[in-house]
Amino acid sequence: MLGLLLPLVLAGAWEIAVASGLATGRLLPPPSRIGAALWSLAASGELWMHVEATLIRVGLGFAFGAGTGILVGALTATLPPLRWLIDPSLQALRAVPSLAWVPLFILWFGILETPKVALIAVGVFFPVYVGVAGAIASVDRKLVEVGRIFRLSRLALARRILLPAVLPATLTALRTGLGLGFLFVVAAELMGASEGLGYLLVDGQQFSKPDQILAAIISFAVVGKLADTALVALTNPLVRWQDTARDSL
């Protein structure tokens, strides 16, 4: 609850500034107008439709991007020849801006849901790939040597030593990937979308409705925070044994 203090103070100060005539509130509406826009969208059911569309796209993109990132990151970290072969190309592609993929994905997949999910998956893939590969590469060699001293099989070594060692960093990478998924969904919903929070942003910009734009931004913030909280709650049991991981996650 303490985290709500700062935004509430800023919102109250801006409301007072507009009400007292110190600011016009034309381009940056006061919280009362933004709240009215949110209430209107929610009462009509339009807000929930847009939130659902965005969550489905982010969920699918996150599943594909995170799954691929974990797999490729694990392979490149454990197989040096594969790392030398593909990691330079992946690091170069990681520097490509998100909007640069839009025309190519439209050309390949059209303007329906496939290019939107693909773009989000690309945004999620790279932080998860880098996080998993870095986590595996940073495992202390002494831990592996201890496992070999106890004559653990490869499977037991991976399950009892490598997996616990890389889990905290991997879960942090998943949180980063989920955050980027919400960033990329805005670019994705520029591709001919007729629903979604990104569509609300574009619609508000086209019809000069700053209250709707800010309502969509606040919705993004709330939905993204709830999704991050849900991910932390689901994955915390996996690292409950490690105090530092609990504190950071």
Side-chain angles (χ1 to χ4, degrees), residues 5-200:
L5 181 61
L6 179 60
L8 288 176
V9 169
L10 292 176
W14 185 246
E15 184 75 35
I16 293 171
V18 174
S20 62
L22 296 175
T24 62
R26 185 175 65 87
L27 296 180
L28 184 59
S32 56
R33 280 179 53 193
I34 300 171
L38 275 171
W39 177 259
S40 176
L41 289 169
S44 66
E46 188 178 355
L47 178 64
W48 312 119
M49 176 189 70
H50 292 307
V51 168
E52 181 184 7
T54 295
L55 281 177
I56 290 174
R57 288 167 184 149
V58 172
L60 291 174
F62 179 75
F64 287 121
T68 307
I70 291 172
L71 177 62
V72 178
L75 289 175
T76 56
T78 54
L79 300 174
L82 188 63
R83 179 170 66 251
W84 301 331
L85 177 65
I86 69 173
D87 183 71
S89 298
L90 291 177
Q91 295 297 340
L93 290 174
R94 188 163 67 95
V96 176
S98 59
L99 289 177
W101 297 102
V102 172
L104 186 62
F105 284 171
I106 291 177
L107 185 64
W108 284 352
F109 306 119
I111 59 173
L112 298 178
E113 291 301 307
T114 303
K116 299 176 179 60
V117 173
L119 182 62
I120 297 167
V122 168
V124 173
F125 168 81
F126 287 107
V128 174
Y129 162 74
V130 172
V132 171
I136 295 176
S138 63
V139 172
D140 194 337
R141 290 179 180 269
K142 296 183 182 64
L143 294 176
V144 179
E145 292 171 2
V146 168
R148 288 172 178 166
I149 289 172
F150 282 92
R151 297 181 181 179
L152 295 179
S153 65
R154 284 183 176 270
L155 182 60
L157 186 68
R159 181 176 62 86
R160 299 182 63 180
I161 292 181
L162 294 181
L163 186 59
V166 304
L167 261 179
T170 299
L171 298 183
T172 301
L174 288 175
R175 289 184 69 188
T176 305
L178 180 62
L180 281 178
F182 278 97
L183 293 178
F184 272 64
V185 75
V186 177
E189 289 175 344
L190 295 177
M191 294 190 278
S194 59
E195 55 185 19
L197 293 176
Y199 167 78
L200 269 185

Side-chain angles (χ1 to χ4, degrees), residues 176-235:
T176 305
L178 180 62
L180 281 178
F182 278 97
L183 293 178
F184 272 64
V185 75
V186 177
E189 289 175 344
L190 295 177
M191 294 190 278
S194 59
E195 55 185 19
L197 293 176
Y199 167 78
L200 269 185
L201 288 172
V202 176
D203 182 72
Q205 180 259 326
Q206 290 178 340
F207 292 97
S208 300
K209 295 188 286 188
D211 51 347
Q212 179 175 307
I213 295 174
L214 288 167
I217 291 173
I218 292 172
S219 299
F220 262 122
V222 173
V223 171
K225 175 58 179 173
L226 291 176
D228 180 73
T229 302
L231 179 63
V232 171
L234 290 172
T235 56

